[in-house]
Amino acid sequence: MNETDRATCPALETVDPLTSEFLACPYAFYARLRDEAPVWKVPGRNLYIVSRHRDIIELNQKPEIFSNDMRKIFNARPEVAAILAQGVPEHPTLGTADPPDHRRYRT
């Protein structure tokens, strides 16, 4: 990460990766995570972000411990729970599925 990117990147302890502001351009932040905190706990949430490829490969081989099911994260937010309580159907995707569903989607 160059110094310009580092200067524009928010401090690790102030970022909420579930906001639209963050999601608009997370790349400089991901680079900072790889450099400074490859396994990072999101402040105020029971959520970790793993940013190094070799670590992600290892985690993906242990779905019984490390889940990709993002519904567990988003359903914990009150505003999302309220919407889902209205009967919005859930549609798992390749990126949010654990085995055996993940394998079925890949196939």
Side-chain angles (χ1 to χ4, degrees):
M1 174 187 313
N2 65 42
E3 289 307 313
T4 303
D5 289 341
R6 188 175 298 285
T8 62
C9 190
L12 295 177
E13 54 279 346
T14 64
V15 174
D16 183 347
L18 300 181
T19 63
S20 58
E21 177 185 351
F22 172 82
L23 293 172
C25 189
Y27 305 110
F29 186 73
Y30 290 152
R32 186 173 191 172
L33 285 180
R34 286 189 300 274
D35 292 344
E36 299 176 25
V39 177
W40 178 67
K41 185 177 188 308
V42 177
R45 299 191 185 277
N46 189 22
L47 172 66
Y48 289 83
I49 294 179
V50 180
S51 58
R52 290 189 180 158
H53 183 261
R54 69 178 177 267
D55 297 330
I56 293 168
I57 295 297
E58 183 176 344
L59 296 180
N60 281 338
Q61 294 173 352
K62 300 175 182 175
E64 67 283 357
I65 300 171
F66 305 102
S67 177
N68 287 317
D69 189 346
M70 296 297 284
R71 293 172 297 176
K72 296 172 186 175
I73 296 166
F74 290 113
N75 291 357
R77 296 182 68 171
E79 63 271 26
V80 175
I83 292 169
L84 294 176
Q86 297 174 22
V88 177
E90 294 181 12
H91 298 283
T93 66
L94 176 66
T96 61
D98 290 330
D101 292 331
H102 186 268
R103 182 168 287 114
R104 183 172 53 85
Y105 286 124
R106 279 185 33 208
T107 303

